[in-house]
Each structure stands twice: as structure tokens, then as C-alpha cells.
Amino acid sequence: MSRNVLKVKERKDRYKVCYMPGDDSGFDMMEGALVVLLSMDLPIDWVRADLGWCMWEKSVNKFGQGDPRCNTVPPETIDKIRSSDATLMAAITSKSGVKGFKSAILQMRQLFDLYINLRPAKTLPDLGSPLKGDPKIDLVLFRENTEDLYSAVEFHPLPEEMFNLHKGMERFRKMGDVAVSWRVFSSVGCERIIRAAFEYAKSTGRTKVHCCNKANVIRETDGMMKRIFLEVAKEYEQYGITGIEENADATAMWLIKNPQDYQVIVTSNVFGDILSDEASQLTGGLGFAPSGNIGENTAIFEPCSGSVPKYAHQYRVNPSAMLLTSKMMLEYLGLDQAGQKIEWAINEVLKENRPKTLTYDILRDFRNDPDWERNAASTIEMATAIAQKINPSLTDSTLEDIKAKAREMCDWTKTFGFED
Ligand SMILES: NC(=O)C1=CN([C@@H]2O[C@H](COP(=O)(O)OP(=O)(O)OC[C@H]3O[C@@H](n4cnc5c(N)ncnc54)[C@H](O)[C@@H]3O)[C@@H](O)[C@H]2O)C=CC1
Ligand SMILES: CC(C)CC(=O)C(=O)O
């Protein structure tokens, strides 16, 4: 029988976890999450690594613009990820228009072949959904994570021979400046993400898997995904699981109209990126949206959001996305109870609704508080309330020690990588 890829390869008494604060508000998110995680007495040894725009700048300062060693991921970080049981990563910045710049997370997804991007979207009972009728949403999206338009196979300017590659290119010859990004799918890539989605449905008692594609227009790539999906779906009929394929644009619409109809969605990289952000907005917004990049040998867990640069180092962001991401990581490590406690505690804090325990996004978007800016809790205040729910016997002085430790672990004035 094949191994469950959504769980760590080897169960241990203690785990080594690489944590990466990322960029901008990523540091605040990670610090908030660590306030909770450090208060839980988990069997985890933490190792810090850095990546993202901060590392790009450091490498440019060290090697000079244009040097091939400039990167968003230093070799030290790759070693730390490789030698850890799992990695917890906060949000990073991805700049367009910077020559030589490659997104750190895209590189890691490909380097470690993290082919599953697991993105759950679930309404928390005491937050609810902004949709009419407050639907109960509980879906899990399997986004293919290593192929498609994010493979970074791009051409600009176009070599002359590319105009001869396909008759469809003929009409672009007279258009002047032309750029091309290749959308590459493989049958192996399609089949493994589709099987992961069906296996998940089978192991969690879910009865429907939707495959969202545009095979009606993008015939070769999405056509391949649709064909393989329908073949694999037949194998799972015996388990009472129905495979439904639909156009991704229709999914975008149906998700708003009837989100409860979805249990498991499997889709390609770009559609998955977009549909998961949409699903997150139906269940609490990016402040509550977790994800995991998972492969056969390791996994990197990160919130779905970007680095919220406008609030960088101001401790305004909601720690929940980072904490629900930590929950996914704990479940990967087999520490399911600890993970569930985190989700329970977030919901309890929402339920209690005490002053200075909820961040701005919750007050503004879910509580209609006209004075949301003044009443908002900081990232650390909300994280502290969650930690106290999990462990009500925490004394003030222990909490202060934990907060100081989390702050030191996420010191953004110190970064590690590209050292001599
Ligand atoms: N996985 C990745 O590497 C991603 C990186 N990015 C990068 O992040 C940077 C910023 O991108 P944006 O488009 O501004 O997206 P963003 O996700 O950083 O922010 C969008 C909006 O979502 C809200 N938000 C996100 N996380 C939140 C949280 N934890 N608490 C409260 N509110 C939250 C904020 O209102 C923010 O204005 C860019 O450089 C972008 O390329 C963006 C998305 C994913
Ligand atoms: C900036 C990109 C890496 C975006 C993306 O792929 C993501 O949101 O996961």
C-alpha cells in the first residue's frame, strides 16, 4: 500500500522544524504564531532560516547586481529545510520587474517537488461567512503545485524560431513586442495530484471530488487533466465517491452561489491559486487562510496571503492564518490533538469577543465595528488571547518570557544566509 503523503515519513518523539519569518508582516505573523506554539510545550526543536526579498537584497549587496549567486533563497536555507522534518514559513514578498529575481516559494516547490498545495477553506462557527445565509463551508482544495504557468518557462523577447513553432503564432509576427509564458502539464503531474485528492476524500469520508479546468478551450493541457481525472474517478466509484468535472470559471461562480456543494476540489496551479483566494474570502479572508506545500519527502506550510507590506512590522495582521497553517503542520507531524486545540482556541477567542483580542480585519469585515481601527488588537494581543485559551494556567511572567523568546526568534534586523 502506498504511504499517506499528507503525513511525515517517519514518526518521532521529537521533531526538528525549520521556521522562516519571510518578509514584511511575515515576521509579525510568525512571532504571533510562536507566542502560541511556544506556550504549548510541543516536542519540537526550532531552527530559523530566512528567504524572500530580504535575502535577495542581502545577496545583491554582497555579490553585486547581476551576479548569478544573487537569489531569494540562500544555500543555508535549502540545507535547513532539507534536514528538518517540516518547515513553517510566513509570507514573503514577490517582486515583478526585477531582473534575475525568482520567487523563493516557487523555487522551493520545484526543488523539493512539493506537488500538492493543500488549501482548506472552512467557516469557523464564531466567525461565519460573509455570504448571505451564513453557509457552512468545509472544502479542501488540492492545487497542483509544480507545473502550469508558474513553471517560469518564459520568453521575452521571443527567439525567431518560436514564430515558426505553431501556425497560431503567425499572427503575432506583426505585433512587435511579444512575450510567451509556457503552460506545461505532464500526465504524471496530473495523475498524482488527482490521486492525492481522491485518497483524501476516501480517508476522510467525503463523497464528491470536483476537477476544475478549462478543457473546453485549453484542449491539450486541461484536456489532459480532465481525461486523467475521469479515468481515476472510475476507480473511486466503489468507495461511494463521485468525480465531477467542471469549467473553472463556472466554479468561481458556483463557489459564491452554492459553496456548500464543494467538498474536495482538484485543479491546476494557476486556477488553484485564484480559486483558493476566492474560497478564503468566503470563510474569513486571507487573515484565516492556511496552506501546505507537500511532497513525498518534506513539506513547507505557509499562509495563502502575501507579506502585507503596508503593515510591515506594525503588528496589525491577524495571526490566525499563520496559526491554522501551524495546525496543518502539526497534523502532518502526527500531532493532531495539538493542531485541533489551536483551531478550537481561535474560535473561542472569536466567541468571547473580549476587547483588544481581535485584529482589524475581523472587526472591520465581520463585526461591522465603525471604530475598528481604534478597537483592533495587535497580532501579539490576539495571539496571547489564543495562548491563554489553550493554557489558562499560564502566568503573566511565563507569558512575558514566551513573548520575549518569540520576539527574539523573529528579530527582523538579523537574517541568516549568504554568510561567509
Ligand atoms: N505565496 C506567496 O509567495 C505570495 C506572495 N505575495 C506577495 O506579497 C506581496 C503583497 O501582495 P498583496 O497582493 O498586497 O497581497 P497580501 O496577501 O499581502 O495582502 C492583500 C490584503 O489581504 C489582507 N491580509 C492578508 N493577510 C492578512 C492577515 N494575516 N491579516 C489581516 N489581513 C490580511 C490585507 O488587507 C492586505 O491588504 C507581493 O509582493 C506579492 O507578490 C502575494 C501572494 C502570495
Ligand atoms: C507569488 C506567488 C508565488 C503566488 C503563489 O503562487 C501563491 O499564492 O501561492
Side-chain angles (χ1 to χ4, degrees):
M1 216 186 75
S2 65
R3 184 179 86 76
N4 177 0
V5 68
L6 303 185
K7 295 279 181 195
V8 71
K9 241 180 177 173
E10 191 192 340
R11 290 293 171 86
K12 296 182 180 169
D13 293 336
R14 283 194 81 74
Y15 294 102
K16 183 168 152 190
V17 170
C18 174
Y19 74 100
M20 310 197 288
D23 289 312
D24 301 327
S25 298
F27 283 86
D28 308 9
M29 295 171 192
M30 183 61 83
E31 189 179 321
L34 282 171
V35 167
V36 177
L37 295 166
L38 296 178
S39 75
M40 291 177 76
D41 199 19
L42 296 164
I44 290 179
D45 299 314
W46 300 95
V47 179
R48 173 161 165 185
D50 288 298
L51 84 182
W53 178 248
C54 58
M55 285 292 110
W56 173 261
E57 287 188 312
K58 193 167 166 184
S59 67
V60 169
N61 285 339
K62 176 162 181 174
F63 303 120
Q65 188 82 44
D67 188 289
R69 287 167 295 179
C70 291
N71 199 353
T72 48
V73 192
E76 293 90 327
T77 294
I78 296 172
D79 291 344
K80 285 176 185 168
I81 296 172
R82 189 169 277 129
S83 63
S84 297
D85 296 298
T87 296
L88 185 64
M89 169 183 164
I92 52 170
T93 297
S94 241
K95 297 262 191 214
S96 58
V98 179
K99 207 168 161 41
F101 178 94
K102 287 195 202 118
S103 155
I105 188 61
L106 290 192
Q107 289 185 62
M108 293 304 94
R109 288 170 185 168
Q110 286 173 21
L111 180 69
F112 290 104
D113 199 22
L114 307 173
Y115 63 92
I116 302 170
N117 194 325
L118 191 63
R119 297 192 155 191
K122 180 173 159 191
T123 37
L124 291 164
D126 288 282
L127 187 68
S129 168
L131 288 178
K132 197 166 76 184
D134 192 14
K136 301 283 164 281
I137 301 166
D138 185 5
L139 67 87
V140 178
L141 191 141
F142 282 72
R143 163 184 172 193
E144 200 295 318
N145 215 22
T146 53
E147 303 192 340
D148 199 348
L149 285 167
Y150 290 174
S151 304
V153 188
E154 303 193 293
F155 305 87
H156 186 231
L158 235 55
E160 181 55 29
E161 58 268 27
M162 284 199 70
F163 289 101
N164 303 324
L165 260 183
H166 191 282
K167 66 179 181 335
M169 286 302 288
E170 270 302 311
R171 69 194 176 86
F172 288 105
R173 206 184 280 275
K174 54 179 179 298
M175 301 299 276
D177 192 21
V178 173
V180 168
S181 305
W182 273 2
R183 186 171 199 248
V184 186
F185 280 34
S186 70
S187 54
V188 169
C190 291
E191 184 170 343
R192 62 186 183 174
I193 189 73
I194 289 166
R195 286 199 178 278
F198 276 105
E199 278 300 308
Y200 176 82
K202 185 177 147 197
S203 68
T204 57
R206 297 183 190 223
T207 55
K208 278 192 282 188
V209 178
H210 282 80
C211 172
C212 307
N213 63 80
K214 282 294 282 182
N216 55 342
V217 186
I218 319 174
R219 288 164 187 272
E220 296 307 331
T221 47
D222 274 306
M224 177 189 273
M225 185 159 223
K226 173 177 166 180
R227 178 178 51 76
I228 295 173
F229 175 80
L230 293 175
E231 278 165 23
V232 173
K234 283 195 210 121
E235 291 176 33
Y236 287 85
E237 282 169 5
Q238 59 181 312
Y239 303 111
I241 301 169
T242 309
I244 302 158
E245 71 82 24
E246 81 184 7
N247 291 332
D249 49 344
T251 312
M253 179 272 298
W254 288 118
L255 266 178
I256 293 186
K257 194 157 191 307
N258 294 328
Q260 315 93 304
D261 286 355
Y262 293 90
Q263 301 179 8
V264 178
I265 293 176
V266 60
T267 190
S268 51
N269 205 339
V270 179
F271 294 158
D273 194 2
I274 296 165
L275 290 172
S276 60
D277 265 26
E278 180 185 342
S280 83
Q281 202 55 46
L282 307 179
T283 51
L286 288 172
F288 286 93
S291 85
N293 303 278
I294 303 171
E296 298 291 338
N297 296 314
T298 195
I300 300 179
F301 295 86
E302 56 162 346
C304 292
S305 81
S307 60
V308 199
K310 66 183 177 192
Y311 293 151
H313 313 305
Q314 294 176 30
Y315 294 108
R316 293 185 69 176
V317 289
N318 186 343
S320 303
M322 196 71 233
L323 280 166
L324 293 170
T325 300
S326 310
K327 173 194 179 222
M328 288 177 72
M329 184 195 71
L330 293 173
E331 287 173 347
Y332 175 79
L333 295 175
L335 304 169
D336 297 50
Q337 274 191 352
Q340 279 146 22
K341 254 189 208 164
I342 291 178
E343 183 175 316
W344 169 82
I346 293 172
N347 199 61
E348 285 298 299
V349 168
L350 288 164
K351 191 194 297 181
E352 282 191 5
N353 205 16
R354 283 188 293 114
K356 288 286 177 195
T357 57
L358 304 179
T359 47
Y360 80 94
D361 52 319
I362 305 169
L363 299 187
R364 187 191 61 190
D365 301 339
F366 286 85
R367 298 285 150 92
N368 296 320
D369 182 343
D371 214 2
W372 55 269
E373 264 186 297
R374 203 158 55 87
N375 292 335
S378 73
T379 310
I380 304 300
E381 284 169 332
M382 181 158 176
T384 304
I386 295 166
Q388 283 170 320
K389 271 283 145 219
I390 295 174
N391 187 352
S393 61
L394 277 176
T395 62
D396 286 350
S397 77
T398 310
L399 253 173
E400 285 316 309
D401 289 348
I402 289 170
K403 284 197 250 182
K405 177 82 185 148
R407 198 175 317 124
E408 183 197 315
M409 286 171 73
C410 297
D411 184 344
W412 63 276
T413 64
K414 291 191 197 118
T415 53
F416 302 93
F418 297 117
E419 263 77 53
D420 290 320

